[in-house]
Amino acid sequence: MQLKKTDLTGALKILAADASVFVPGEIEGIKRFVLWDGESDVDLGGANTQLPPKDILFPCTEKMYNYKMGDSIEIKEIVEKPRQVIFGIRPCDMRSIDCMDHVFLEKGFVDSYYSRKRENVTLIAMGCTTPERTCFCDSMGLDPNNAPNADVMMNDGGDTLVLEAYTEKGKAVLEALNGLLSEGGQAKKDTACTLKVNMTPELPEKLAGMFDHPIWDEVTRACIGCATCTYVCPTCYCFDIDSDNHGAEGTKFRCWDSCMFSDYTRMAGGHDPRPTKKERVRNRYMHKLSYFHERYGQHLCVGCGRCVEKCPAHMDITMFIDKAAEV
Amino acid sequence: MGEINHECTCHGNPLVPQVVKVIKITQETPDVKTFRMQTPDGKKPFAPLPGQLGMISVVGVGEGMFSITAQGEDWIESSIKKVGMLTEAFHELAEGQEIAIRGPYGNHFPVEALKGKDLIFIGGGIGLAPVRSLIRYCMEHREDYGHIDIVYGSRSPEDLCFKEDLFQNWPKEKDTRVEITVDRGNETWEGNVGFVPAYVEELAFSPENKKVILCGPPIMIKFTSEALVRMGFAKEDVITTLEMRMKCGIGKCGRCNIGSKYVCLDGPVFNLAELDELPDEK
Amino acid sequence: MSSIIEELQSTVKKLLEDGTVGYVIGWGATRFPDRTTPVFITRPEDAHKLVWNHYCVNGTAKYALDDRYPEKKIGIIIRGCDSRAVNRMIQDNQLKRENLYLIGIPCDGKENPVCEGCQHKNPLVYDVLIGTPVEEKINPDRFKEVAEFEKLSQDEKYEYWAKQYDKCIHCYACRNVCPACNCKECYADQYRVGWQGKQNNRNSNQVYGLTRAFHVGDRCIECGECERVCPMGLPIMRQTKKMLKDINDLFGDYECGLNDSRPHVLGEFDLQDRDEFM
């Protein structure tokens, strides 16, 4: 099925009737996913959003429960099940949702806060037509033209968007948009990244054996220990849990945390298993390229290139991959 | 690795704790207290297996992961050493006050695999806390296990945890021997003086049909493990528990990983052979 | 330019060969021709990895704080701004001059807007100078942007900063890259004390931004690294420049890090100081 690009606003209006629709947009000079305001044009082309859409399913600060202190404690869980649509999310960011599904929904415990949002979100993905020079998703095993876990997959068809439903949720979307859709449409699906990285199938296991390799002394020194890479990363999911008290009441919340921070693994007694940036960067790279693969069978790096683009020290995980593949 | 049990009792959302009342506080040492907890309606909050953990919070201050050291019909207990802000808040609690807990978390000591074996429990300082849950379990199922040795050391006689168990309860049990040492004695101390690793070597255990459960400060674990290996114990037969900073307790928040393993979920119980497989980042 | 690179590389090679320094901090190539990254050269045969071009934007001096007790001197390739950063950290008792070997290199301005207003392209302190000094220019517009901004109403200013700090993601890149942010433990990292929460909201972000601006206060060397590294494009220099403008207005011409001994203006007391705000 295809949707005329001139009908895009009409289509979004239908979707926005009973859900919050997030689209690629701009706030104060930063391209990111924004709540669609009912009329703005949507920027589906150009560079990918500078910030990933992960905060829609995993907010950077998320309230968990309210409590009352005193002689008798009361705890009241905060339950939110917002109906949300992420429109125009690219295959790299779609793969990051796959990674987060593994983390939050598997291995013994289901994370209720994530699962409630995940169940109620509709993912309308857009095949990438404009990879940046820092994009390397196809080296990480992705197809920039397709997101298998999308509810609806869209691809550019010139004057139209070519739509295909992959799930029941997706079929419901196409039904809702039926009046605006027509049969046919030729989609462009030949996007490839220009940056090719030597991410060999053997690398995850090879890295596991390189924990004490001198390569870490070299590749970690430029790091300034900030959290930019982790906060612009679509797959970094580490969080902290903390309290916010107001008198005898308070709220427990969780918020994004970063393995780059000095207090991240420091224990109450002062012992820190990852005391310097060498151990921290090593853990981050290993997590992305080896540990996660060992645990969940896929890479935790989707090749979106945001960390390469934003690192203050211009550190580059693709240079590390190439170097590690060679040694 | 220990056995895994992920039957969380936290009513659907594993990150929301349940309220419990502190029904008894025991001052074990100058800086260790044991807190007995029960639900407000007089029930046991959950039934952990030996070695499992609970995320316990002084509501409004913070949460911390602690080993559940003992349980009864309608209570569970944790022993907490004062090391920082949160643990200080625990030490300021009075009997009758309410706190919150979620869990049980983590794997547990391999109680099945230990059946029929002679057991040596080795604890140092507050490290006796996780071991205590297994000692109590073995005492309750005494016929399933062989001879039991309990070797325990602390900095000084005042720092010995669980004195009632050490000096009264456990020595009375069938086929059980308790050996205590302190780093520095005092004028009334008549027992052994010396560090745990050396004391273990002095006691000259033979490795035959034995399993060792070892917990304590990292340095004590390191030297005692080396001593045990020298004495001929297989690494598979020496079981210990790890400690890392934890926040979620359910293998999501990321910080307690060692390699691809999460200590809160895949641990805290590991044997030395399993630890050898993990990156050296403990 | 190419002869300068040769001079730089051969100087570094010699310093490593004769054992004057343990390693040298400079710039190296990346995958992209318009981007360089800090490199740490430890072997003489790696000196050729050093680059010097229009894209050497990263500050080099702060990396010396990773190694406070070096076995041998740390070699640092410094531009004018880096030399002020060195002075800054020596003055703050974070570095010892005798632990450093400073390889000065006059700078013609880099791919960084802050360089346009630079008044100190030549290193102010060095042990060896590569190339020849360039002409310095006084920037008559040093506080022009701040002066314009001051004309806005209080509400307009608040609105502006609120929008900016709504973007902040708490990555602390501005702090970590700043030569004046050299506290052993930042107040914002004292989570257990609770000065600064980890939750992301307008209040908490603004508290961080303001606190940092005041902490840097009269010690900002105007290198612009905070603004360059900010992934969300916050105009952080506008805050530090405001502090400096006020200091200039109150105490006369003032620039930081021109040498390693002059006390900072808010760190000394003089009976002649203006005190109308008391």
Side-chain angles (χ1 to χ4, degrees):
Chain A
M1 304 297 278
Q2 58 180 342
L3 172 75
K4 281 196 205 119
K5 285 184 180 168
T6 49
D7 284 334
L8 186 53
T9 303
L12 290 171
K13 275 188 177 152
I14 294 169
L15 296 174
D18 64 347
S20 303
V21 180
F22 293 88
V23 298
E26 197 182 294
I27 298 177
E28 292 293 314
I30 297 294
K31 188 169 179 186
R32 62 200 298 176
F33 278 83
V34 299
L35 183 61
W36 189 60
D37 61 6
E39 52 185 41
S40 301
D41 287 337
V42 175
D43 183 11
L44 290 175
N48 198 2
T49 54
Q50 285 166 272
L51 288 174
K54 74 174 169 186
D55 60 327
I56 299 169
L57 297 176
F58 174 49
C60 63
T61 304
E62 182 168 38
K63 291 177 178 173
M64 300 165 68
Y65 55 87
N66 293 316
Y67 51 80
K68 276 184 191 159
M69 296 172 265
D71 287 341
S72 151
I73 288 168
E74 276 175 48
I75 291 176
K76 195 156 191 288
E77 184 183 356
I78 295 171
V79 179
E80 285 177 352
K81 300 175 178 176
R83 280 182 63 86
Q84 304 186 115
V85 175
I86 309 180
F87 186 89
I89 173 174
R90 298 191 188 187
C92 51
D93 293 333
M94 283 299 304
R95 172 65 70 90
S96 75
I97 291 180
D98 204 27
C99 295
M100 293 217 284
D101 285 351
H102 283 304
V103 172
F104 288 118
L105 304 176
E106 293 175 12
K107 300 271 178 202
F109 291 98
V110 171
D111 184 292
S112 308
Y113 301 100
Y114 180 83
S115 72
R116 286 171 195 145
K117 292 189 175 67
R118 182 72 180 88
E119 280 162 22
N120 290 291
V121 72
T122 304
L123 301 165
I124 304 179
M126 176 77 196
C128 187
T129 56
T130 47
E132 295 281 288
R133 65 175 184 171
T134 45
C135 288
F136 57 104
C137 72
D138 51 14
S139 297
M140 299 308 292
L142 279 75
D143 177 359
N145 303 288
N146 188 27
N149 58 332
D151 293 309
V152 175
M153 187 65 219
M154 292 193 293
N155 286 92
D156 194 280
D159 293 335
T160 67
L161 293 168
V162 180
L163 275 60
E164 193 180 344
Y166 285 178
T167 64
E168 288 304 314
K169 267 188 208 170
K171 282 179 194 160
V173 168
L174 295 197
E175 269 168 39
L177 300 181
N178 196 27
L180 296 173
L181 301 180
S182 61
E183 291 291 334
Q186 269 299 320
K188 179 182 168 296
K189 292 185 186 176
D190 57 356
T191 300
C193 299
T194 48
L195 173 53
K196 299 295 178 199
V197 181
N198 194 13
M199 185 68 209
T200 62
E202 299 77 32
L203 195 62
E205 212 180 321
K206 182 179 177 185
L207 280 174
M210 285 172 61
F211 189 81
D212 294 316
H213 197 280
I215 193 171
W216 300 112
D217 294 310
E218 190 187 335
V219 301
T220 60
R221 284 185 86 169
C223 177
I224 65 164
C226 75
T228 303
C229 53
T230 57
Y231 287 171
V232 301
C233 177
T235 69
C236 273
Y237 57 81
C238 291
F239 61 87
D240 196 357
I241 296 177
D242 208 345
S243 320
D244 205 357
N245 294 336
H246 300 281
E249 295 181 11
T251 305
K252 200 83 173 167
F253 64 88
R254 69 169 169 193
C255 56
W256 292 357
D257 203 353
S258 173
C259 57
M260 295 291 109
F261 286 148
S262 58
D263 79 312
Y264 182 69
T265 48
R266 197 191 301 146
M267 287 189 264
H271 175 68
D272 190 346
R274 296 199 277 269
T276 74
K277 63 186 177 185
K278 176 185 164 185
E279 293 84 24
R280 293 175 200 139
V281 176
R282 174 173 62 192
N283 183 66
R284 181 165 191 275
Y285 280 1
M286 285 289 229
H287 192 200
K288 296 287 163 201
L289 305 170
S290 177
Y291 299 160
F292 194 85
H293 191 274
E294 188 182 333
R295 195 168 178 86
Y296 297 106
Q298 68 185 60
H299 306 308
L300 191 61
C301 173
V302 298
C304 74
R306 289 184 179 97
C307 60
V308 182
E309 190 58 50
K310 291 287 190 187
C311 174
H314 302 153
M315 283 170 65
D316 185 337
I317 194 170
T318 69
M319 303 265 284
F320 169 74
I321 294 171
D322 283 353
K323 206 174 275 183
E326 269 171 37
V327 296
Chain B
M1 199 168 309
E3 291 148 26
I4 306 256
N5 161 46
H6 291 317
E7 282 172 32
C8 178
T9 55
C10 33
H11 321 293
N13 187 335
L15 292 174
V16 178
Q18 54 176 319
V19 175
V20 284
K21 190 177 280 242
V22 178
I23 55 168
K24 186 181 166 198
I25 298 176
T26 311
Q27 183 93 42
E28 304 284 356
T29 76
D31 58 4
V32 176
K33 283 182 179 180
T34 296
F35 300 85
R36 184 169 289 190
M37 294 162 278
Q38 189 176 65
T39 63
D41 58 355
K43 297 199 174 75
K44 177 147 119 176
F46 49 74
L49 287 154
Q52 280 198 294
L53 309 166
M55 186 62 92
I56 315 178
S57 50
V58 177
V59 177
V61 180
E63 290 182 306
M65 193 72 119
F66 302 98
S67 175
I68 307 296
T69 53
Q71 57 185 312
E73 193 71 354
D74 53 7
W75 53 265
I76 57 174
E77 264 181 17
S78 256
S79 299
I80 297 174
K81 181 175 172 162
K82 193 157 63 167
V83 290
M85 238 173 55
L86 173 66
T87 48
E88 271 168 32
F90 273 105
H91 276 245
E92 281 162 21
L93 291 171
E95 286 177 3
Q97 273 189 278
E98 288 187 340
I99 56 175
I101 188 167
R102 50 194 179 89
Y105 295 139
N107 66 354
H108 54 86
F109 289 112
V111 286
E112 292 301 318
L114 296 180
K115 276 188 180 165
K117 303 280 182 186
D118 293 341
L119 303 178
I120 307 171
F121 295 96
I122 306 173
I126 186 70
L128 188 58
V131 177
R132 181 179 180 232
S133 64
L134 181 58
I135 295 175
R136 286 176 58 99
Y137 181 92
C138 294
M139 297 305 182
E140 281 160 24
H141 303 82
R142 193 65 195 87
E143 66 286 359
D144 289 341
Y145 302 95
H147 179 78
I148 289 179
D149 282 286
I150 298 167
V151 185
Y152 179 53
S154 70
R155 280 173 303 181
S156 70
E158 298 78 48
D159 289 307
L160 292 166
C161 286
F162 312 118
K163 293 186 185 70
E164 199 182 319
D165 285 337
L166 288 172
F167 295 106
Q168 292 169 36
N169 302 340
W170 294 339
K172 272 188 250 159
E173 294 283 345
K174 183 183 117 200
D175 207 11
T176 301
R177 206 165 59 133
V178 180
E179 307 281 358
I180 299 169
T181 183
V182 295
D183 299 351
R184 290 179 307 275
N186 60 18
E187 46 290 354
T188 57
W189 179 253
E190 290 172 355
N192 192 73
V193 175
F195 294 119
V196 171
Y199 192 43
V200 166
E201 272 190 295
E202 210 178 297
L203 292 169
F205 297 108
S206 91
E208 202 184 331
N209 196 40
K210 284 198 179 61
K211 291 268 190 185
V212 181
I213 295 89
L214 167 67
C215 285
I219 193 78
M220 172 261 185
I221 293 187
K222 181 180 178 319
F223 287 113
T224 311
S225 308
E226 287 170 9
L228 289 164
V229 170
R230 273 198 302 275
M231 290 160 74
F233 283 86
K235 288 188 166 182
E236 287 76 10
D237 292 335
V238 180
I239 300 161
T240 186
T241 67
L242 289 184
E243 210 183 336
M244 290 285 273
R245 189 163 188 219
M246 295 175 188
K247 285 285 180 171
C248 76
I250 58 174
K252 315 289 188 205
C253 82
R255 78 197 61 232
C256 71
N257 78 297
I258 299 175
S260 69
K261 301 286 181 225
Y262 286 95
V263 174
C264 72
L265 188 70
D266 307 311
V269 178
F270 296 91
N271 68 43
L272 294 186
E274 289 163 344
L275 289 186
D276 277 353
E277 297 283 303
L278 296 179
D280 188 17
E281 198 168 70
K282 289 139 214 160
Chain C
M1 180 71 88
S2 67
S3 69
I4 291 198
I5 293 184
E6 281 161 23
E7 192 185 338
L8 178 68
Q9 292 176 347
S10 64
T11 304
V12 167
K13 187 162 183 275
K14 194 171 153 291
L15 289 169
L16 288 164
E17 275 168 352
D18 66 21
T20 307
V21 297
Y23 58 93
V24 172
I25 309 171
W27 301 271
T30 69
R31 207 179 264 291
F32 306 108
D34 58 357
R35 193 179 282 182
T36 67
T37 185
V39 289
F40 302 77
I41 305 293
T42 50
R43 299 180 306 175
E45 60 268 34
D46 288 336
H48 70 278
K49 291 181 180 168
L50 288 165
V51 300
W52 173 248
N53 58 39
H54 189 55
Y55 304 101
C56 295
V57 294
N58 299 67
T60 48
K62 200 173 179 192
Y63 288 105
L65 291 186
D66 289 341
D67 191 5
R68 286 166 193 258
Y69 308 100
E71 280 173 33
K72 283 186 186 175
K73 283 178 192 246
I74 305 170
I76 316 177
I77 304 173
I78 55 166
R79 304 159 297 174
C81 51
D82 301 313
S83 73
R84 293 174 72 186
V86 167
N87 282 339
R88 161 86 288 121
M89 291 184 283
I90 291 173
Q91 200 178 358
D92 291 345
N93 292 318
Q94 299 300 314
L95 290 179
K96 287 200 167 77
R97 181 65 179 88
E98 61 266 31
N99 286 338
L100 308 175
Y101 190 93
L102 303 174
I103 305 156
I105 187 161
C107 174
D108 44 0
K110 300 298 173 199
E111 183 73 13
N112 186 348
V114 76
C115 299
E116 281 162 29
C118 178
Q119 303 193 120
H120 301 280
K121 297 176 189 299
N122 297 302
L124 292 149
V125 54
Y126 51 80
D127 294 300
V128 60
L129 190 72
I130 308 292
T132 47
V134 294
E135 194 192 340
E136 301 284 16
K137 265 188 264 174
I138 298 296
N139 174 17
D141 296 332
R142 188 175 166 211
F143 296 120
K144 192 180 167 195
E145 204 187 40
V146 178
E148 285 298 314
F149 193 76
E150 283 172 346
K151 291 177 189 161
L152 298 179
S153 72
Q154 206 168 334
D155 286 348
E156 285 169 325
K157 280 186 262 191
Y158 179 81
E159 186 66 14
Y160 175 83
W161 285 114
K163 275 185 184 163
Q164 293 302 325
Y165 274 97
D166 281 350
K167 287 194 293 185
C168 173
I169 56 172
H170 276 215
C171 68
Y172 296 122
C174 52
R175 173 196 71 187
N176 289 13
V177 82
C178 174
C181 275
N182 52 39
C183 291
K184 201 170 169 217
E185 187 178 15
C186 175
Y187 91 99
D189 283 347
Q190 295 173 329
Y191 292 111
R192 290 183 168 101
V193 186
W195 305 116
Q196 183 75 46
K198 275 189 186 164
Q199 65 268 52
N200 192 311
N201 59 45
R202 182 180 283 186
N203 278 349
S204 150
N205 298 358
Q206 288 180 342
V207 165
Y208 166 68
L210 281 175
T211 309
R212 184 178 165 275
F214 278 108
H215 271 201
V216 172
D218 62 339
R219 299 181 305 113
C220 170
I221 58 155
E222 297 170 75
C223 64
E225 279 291 88
C226 50
E227 203 165 301
R228 177 185 71 79
V229 301
C230 179
M232 295 295 104
L234 269 68
I236 305 171
M237 280 286 276
R238 192 169 281 192
Q239 296 173 328
T240 43
K241 279 264 176 105
K242 166 67 177 160
M243 300 288 298
L244 289 171
K245 179 174 180 294
D246 287 355
I247 290 168
N248 272 260
D249 292 348
L250 285 165
F251 303 101
D253 282 352
Y254 182 69
E255 280 185 286
C256 301
L258 301 189
N259 57 54
D260 61 14
S261 56
R262 182 181 170 184
H264 18 102
V265 64
L266 301 183
E268 60 180 355
F269 175 70
D270 186 333
L271 281 173
Q272 304 309 311
D273 283 345
R274 293 168 61 177
D275 63 352
E276 67 265 33
F277 54 85
M278 294 289 274

